[in-house]
């Protein structure tokens, strides 16, 4: 499962920041507030970006037949 998640994140072509956010949130299970602190952003910014990130990762996982 972890390797499939890593592959889906990589194949989603999210860009550097969003890839890092996806890995920290989905794989490392770091809370949004902690990710925001790491980036120096507001938690609301992470929440907003995660909505798009999760849609792209899920779509990619489906295309790769992971779901």
């Amino acid at each position: 499962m972890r390797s499939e998640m890593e592959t889906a994140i990589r194949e989603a072509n999210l860009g550097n920041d969003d890839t890092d956010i996806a890995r920290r949130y989905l794989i490392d299970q770091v809370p949004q507030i902690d990710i925001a602190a790491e980036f120096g952003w507001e938690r609301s910014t992470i929440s907003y970006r995660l909505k798009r990130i999760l849609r792209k990762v899920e779509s990619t996982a489906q295309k790769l037949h992971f779901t």
Side-chain angles (χ1 to χ4, degrees), residues 42-59:
E42 297 291 325
R43 191 211 53 82
S44 61
T45 302
I46 297 299
S47 176
Y48 175 79
R49 292 178 81 132
L50 270 171
K51 290 175 187 175
R52 183 174 38 81
I53 290 167
L54 295 175
R55 280 193 308 266
K56 283 187 168 184
V57 170
E58 173 137 355
S59 174

Side-chain angles (χ1 to χ4, degrees), residues 5 8-9 11-23 25-26 32 39 41 43-61 63:
M5 183 66 70
I9 291 168
E11 294 295 319
N13 295 318
L14 299 169
N16 292 333
D17 285 343
D18 287 350
T19 296
D20 290 343
I21 292 167
R23 285 187 177 133
Y25 187 75
L26 295 170
Q32 291 181 27
F39 280 82
W41 298 345
R43 191 211 53 82
S44 61
T45 302
I46 297 299
S47 176
Y48 175 79
R49 292 178 81 132
L50 270 171
K51 290 175 187 175
R52 183 174 38 81
I53 290 167
L54 295 175
R55 280 193 308 266
K56 283 187 168 184
V57 170
E58 173 137 355
S59 174
T60 301
K63 289 176 184 174

Side-chain angles (χ1 to χ4, degrees), residues 24-40:
R24 298 292 287 146
Y25 187 75
L26 295 170
I27 296 173
D28 300 334
Q29 298 182 344
V30 175
Q32 291 181 27
I33 191 70
D34 294 340
I35 297 170
E38 291 172 13
F39 280 82

